[in-house]
Amino acid sequence: MVKRRLATINLSSRQKEIIELVKANQPITSEQLAKKIGVTRAALRPDLAILTMTGILEARPKVGYIYSQKPSSNLVFDYIRKIKVKDIMSKPVTVDEQTTVYNAIVNLFLNDVGTIFVENDGYLVGAVSRKDFLKSAIGRTDINKVPIGIIMTRMPNIVCVEPEDSVYIAAKKIIDREVDSLPVVERVSEEDGDKVKVIGKLSKTNITRLFVKLSENKN
């Protein structure tokens, strides 16, 4: 059974050894594991963290580690659900609502992004994608004079995520709404109602990098 799990998650030789020791001696403490392997407890902490986060092992207080009977198909899924948006988000590209469409397009390509978020007084008011820019460019819009606020998708029609949301939730929103990226926001209460500030961006690229990083795990 363990072979099927190891094919799903790329584990180091030490992590595989830990799994076998736990299966043969469970419950077993980190101190006992360290002694059997011939390393310090501190040296084992990163390996044990990975094995418990992925659900392969369970850590029981005052008892020790045991081998989880959780189906292998759930391991990566459960691990991804524990990763939060704030852990992988990147810096957003924002412009003021009065920025011309032309200058916004230049900003888009200089930063190599698919979506620009639009602000007014520091708060999120809209978003513009490459498709929106293309439509304005091939239409009769004077991109040198028209402000980006004219062509943007306005709040509250923008799907947002918050830093504490799971990456799974964010990925599902990207797929469901067929967008390239989502603004990561924090909510602010003002006298005229709740508003949001853009503090990050969660894109398809961020999620792809996460999967590449997981597949390259060789701790």
Side-chain angles (χ1 to χ4, degrees):
M1 293 297 291
V2 70
K3 289 183 179 179
R4 185 181 174 189
R5 294 187 177 196
L6 301 187
T8 305
I9 300 174
N10 191 10
L11 300 177
S12 68
S13 58
R14 179 189 286 176
Q15 290 161 3
K16 294 175 184 178
E17 183 180 2
I18 291 172
I19 292 171
E20 296 303 327
L21 285 171
V22 171
K23 290 177 68 177
N25 302 278
Q26 60 185 329
I28 183 171
T29 66
S30 59
E31 185 176 2
Q32 292 170 327
L33 281 169
K35 187 175 181 180
K36 286 181 177 293
I37 296 174
V39 298
T40 64
R41 290 175 62 188
L44 281 188
R45 286 194 189 110
D47 297 310
L48 291 172
I50 290 171
L51 294 173
T52 53
M53 286 180 69
T54 54
I56 296 175
L57 299 183
E58 290 182 24
R60 296 188 176 180
K62 299 182 180 180
V63 176
Y65 291 90
I66 65 170
Y67 180 68
S68 173
Q69 298 302 314
K70 188 178 295 184
S72 60
S73 60
N74 290 337
L75 293 177
V76 172
F77 175 73
D78 288 350
Y79 180 55
I80 292 174
R81 285 179 72 94
K82 293 176 183 177
I83 300 175
K84 296 181 179 180
V85 166
K86 67 180 182 181
D87 297 326
I88 67 168
M89 70 181 187
S90 54
K91 186 177 180 180
V93 176
T94 61
V95 297
D96 184 80
E97 189 174 2
Q98 295 305 313
T99 302
T100 65
V101 173
Y102 174 81
N103 286 332
I105 291 174
V106 171
N107 213 326
L108 180 91
F109 283 99
L110 285 177
N111 288 280
D112 191 23
V113 294
T115 302
I116 283 185
F117 303 115
V118 186
E119 296 178 324
N120 188 342
D121 292 330
Y123 295 109
L124 177 67
V125 293
V128 186
S129 67
R130 289 176 182 261
K131 291 181 180 179
D132 296 322
F133 284 122
L134 180 60
K135 289 177 183 178
S136 65
I138 64 178
R140 296 183 178 180
T141 303
D142 187 343
I143 62 175
N144 290 290
K145 295 182 179 179
V146 173
I148 197 171
I150 299 297
I151 70 167
M152 70 183 184
T153 299
R154 289 187 172 273
M155 291 288 284
N157 298 315
I158 301 172
V159 180
C160 304
V161 289
E162 298 184 25
E164 295 297 325
D165 288 339
S166 74
V167 171
Y168 168 76
I169 290 175
K172 194 171 186 304
K173 287 183 177 182
I174 286 176
I175 293 172
D176 290 344
R177 295 302 293 264
E178 298 182 347
V179 294
D180 292 322
S181 63
L182 302 172
V184 183
V185 302
E186 61 179 10
R187 302 189 180 278
V188 180
S189 295
E190 298 286 356
E191 292 182 358
D192 54 346
D194 291 341
K195 297 181 180 181
V196 294
K197 287 189 174 183
V198 182
I199 60 172
K201 176 188 71 173
L202 198 288
S203 66
K204 292 178 180 178
T205 301
N206 295 126
I207 296 171
T208 302
R209 284 175 180 160
L210 171 62
F211 277 99
V212 171
K213 184 176 180 180
L214 289 176
S215 67
E216 292 178 343
N217 171 35
K218 295 181 180 180
N219 295 318

